[in-house]
Amino acid sequence: MSGTVELGRYSIGVGDRFAHQARAQLQACIDASWAGVDLEPVWNKSNREHIIIGSEPSQTRAAADAAVKALGWGQPYFCDADHINLNTVDRFLVPCDFYTIDVADFIGKPARPAAVAGFLKRRADLAGAIGFEGSGEAIKITSARLRATAEKFLFAVQEAGKVYRRIESAKGKGNFITEISMDETDAAQTPEELLIILAAIADEGIPIQTIAPKFTGRFNKGVDYVGDVAQFRREIGLDVAAIAWGVRELGLPQNLKLSIHSGSDKFSIYPAIHEATKGSGVHLKTAGTTWLEEVIGLAEAGGDGFALAKEIYAEAFAHRDELCGPYATVIDIDHAKLPAPAAVAAWSPAQFTAALRHNPHAPEYNPSFRQLLHVGFKIAAKMGSRYLNLLDANEAVIAKNVTENLFDRHIGPVFLGKPSPADALQDVEAR
Ligand SMILES: [Zn+2]
């Protein structure tokens, strides 16, 4: 039996680096249900983040369970072992019920020639034109493209199968949600490639409910999308059609949908995401956003909280090269625009929050300042209880920022079709 545990049509991945904001995040989902959309929260945290923070997956589970109990949430919710592989999955087997199997490292590695030949024979009918019902769209896969895609991705899908079976043997079939992610790689996958990858996943017997391709354009951490919005719109439309085709023709789970990683703050493509996925559903992963709202809340609180927020920035500025290094491909900081810590020391809380908060039309908003703090969570992790105690002491003001940010700037435009903060910018410019 499969599909006992099923992800609903709309879900949101909420990262919570310090496991202090689960209630505030859940509140945003409660607000969503009042606004008319059933939205399932998924608390995601990668092995990498657990190592940086020094936390355990069981703490994420405990925080989620406590929030659900405190707020009386009666709908489904999940804990996601984000970006795991065969080496890292074990510590997540007990506390998680959602697994994002990351195959990016295996893309481009060769599968055995016999396996590639077997796939090409089995799936020979993929070559040619494939029409998507209802959309009027079609894609054309040449036999050269079919072979090249099999050679590039088949080994990665086989590796995903190994991880899936490890989880299945520990938890039992149908007792967890499986996602495959390919976003942390250099090249975007085209809809043609996605369709071929789905066929390989079906052959491997992995009942994925979400899949995270790498899309065209840049998904920098904590800031807006950088790329060709029209091209993204066309691509995501075809991806959704390819997934619907995969459900129909390949027997993949009925609720299979796209997962969008680094999904926070991508205001300029939210209308396209909403439009493309309102029927099929979507999983939007946000993570770093919540940590920045903690810093905003501390600044807004004034006093010791604001002093610590300024100290975190000063430390991040001093260590900017080592903090930015590992994130070089997903941040875009103009170092000339980073204010000197001595200048920031003289700022008011309002100046600090206006520079940090992602209001694209606010003249004080400083994306370089925001991105440096985004990758600066290691500084707060090193502060340990000094940081955590101030989170507790200023819980109300922080929670308000966490909930509002998720609901107003993310859930509204992606799931409810409300204007995105980027639209507000265009309105201002048009006037
Ligand atoms: Zn990802």
Side-chain angles (χ1 to χ4, degrees):
M1 194 180 78
S2 69
T4 314
V5 173
E6 274 188 18
L7 189 63
R9 180 176 293 189
Y10 303 114
S11 50
I12 186 161
V14 284
D16 186 4
R17 301 206 196 280
F18 297 99
H20 270 57
Q21 306 309 329
R23 257 180 302 168
Q25 293 168 326
L26 185 58
Q27 185 60 49
C29 293
I30 293 171
D31 293 351
S33 69
W34 282 105
V37 64
D38 288 328
L39 184 60
E40 296 175 359
V42 180
W43 278 275
N44 50 252
K45 193 166 176 181
S46 66
N47 195 58
R48 188 176 51 202
E49 278 176 48
H50 279 296
I51 288 170
I52 291 171
I53 305 278
S55 54
E56 284 295 326
S58 57
Q59 292 172 285
T60 305
R61 162 62 66 186
D65 288 347
V68 163
K69 194 161 177 235
L71 299 187
W73 178 253
Q75 302 302 309
Y77 67 101
F78 302 96
C79 287
D80 176 4
D82 205 4
H83 286 285
I84 44 94
N85 57 37
L86 211 49
N87 298 325
T88 53
V89 66
D90 285 2
R91 71 196 292 216
F92 295 91
L93 288 174
V94 171
C96 289
D97 46 15
F98 187 131
Y99 294 83
T100 298
I101 303 174
D102 184 343
V103 300
D105 283 351
F106 304 108
I107 294 172
K109 299 217 166 129
R112 284 183 302 109
V116 174
F119 177 81
L120 293 175
K121 197 170 167 209
R122 200 161 51 243
R123 296 297 182 184
D125 56 343
L126 292 179
I130 295 174
F132 297 136
E133 250 170 43
S135 69
E137 295 268 22
I139 60 176
K140 194 164 185 310
I141 296 172
T142 62
S143 22
R145 166 59 54 204
L146 183 60
R147 168 174 288 279
T149 305
E151 284 170 349
K152 188 171 176 190
F153 291 97
L154 194 60
F155 182 76
V157 173
Q158 291 172 333
E159 284 298 307
K162 286 186 200 162
V163 184
Y164 169 74
R165 287 186 289 275
R166 167 84 138 259
I167 304 163
E168 192 194 72
S169 70
K171 301 194 72 82
K173 199 178 173 83
N175 293 329
F176 59 96
I177 292 162
T178 307
E179 168 166 321
I180 290 183
S181 72
M182 306 176 290
D183 63 307
E184 295 195 352
T185 181
D186 293 335
Q189 292 100 37
T190 64
E192 291 80 2
E193 287 174 324
L194 179 63
L195 194 145
I196 298 164
I197 291 164
L198 290 176
I201 291 170
D203 286 353
E204 191 68 27
I206 311 171
I208 51 166
Q209 298 187 35
T210 48
I211 184 155
K214 181 179 172 74
F215 297 99
T216 188
R218 276 178 76 94
F219 284 67
N220 286 340
K221 298 282 177 191
V223 293
D224 202 351
Y225 176 77
V226 181
D228 182 338
V229 174
Q231 192 193 340
F232 175 84
R233 184 182 292 276
R234 185 175 150 71
E235 182 182 285
I236 193 172
L238 285 172
D239 285 344
V240 167
I243 286 172
W245 186 90
V247 169
R248 211 168 53 239
E249 303 292 333
L250 301 167
L252 288 165
Q254 292 288 330
N255 62 338
L256 175 60
K257 60 181 183 176
L258 278 178
S259 171
I260 299 177
H261 285 215
S262 301
S264 78
D265 300 272
K266 301 299 170 290
F267 300 152
S268 60
I269 52 171
Y270 283 173
I273 294 173
H274 175 75
E275 208 45 48
T277 64
K278 64 187 176 192
S280 56
V282 68
H283 181 59
L284 184 80
K285 275 197 194 184
T286 72
T289 295
T290 286
W291 135 253
L292 287 177
E293 296 305 322
E294 289 179 338
V295 179
I296 288 170
L298 287 176
E300 224 171 67
D304 291 349
F306 185 36
L308 195 80
K310 289 191 284 195
E311 189 183 328
I312 290 170
Y313 177 71
E315 280 291 301
F317 186 87
H319 298 279
R320 57 194 184 281
D321 291 335
E322 63 185 271
L323 287 174
C324 294
Y327 295 94
T329 59
V330 286
I331 54 176
D332 203 355
I333 292 177
D334 180 349
H335 285 258
K337 298 237 166 81
L338 289 173
V344 174
W347 281 3
S348 67
Q351 280 174 293
F352 192 99
T353 56
L356 184 51
R357 192 176 276 134
H358 194 181
N359 280 333
H361 50 283
E364 303 87 353
Y365 167 56
N366 182 336
S368 295
F369 182 70
R370 181 173 168 88
Q371 288 179 92
L372 178 58
L373 278 167
H374 191 292
V375 298
F377 66 97
K378 253 185 208 175
I379 308 280
K382 277 200 194 125
M383 288 173 166
S385 58
R386 253 184 91 208
Y387 178 71
L388 300 179
N389 290 344
L390 280 166
L391 291 186
D392 291 335
N394 298 288
E395 190 191 332
V397 59
I398 291 170
K400 181 176 176 291
N401 280 291
V402 169
T403 305
E404 276 180 8
N405 173 58
L406 271 178
F407 185 76
D408 293 345
R409 289 197 278 278
H410 296 85
I411 294 170
V414 172
F415 299 100
L416 295 160
K418 297 216 169 125
S420 100
D423 294 340
L425 174 65
Q426 283 155 14
D427 288 350
V428 168
E429 282 173 346
R431 262 179 233 135

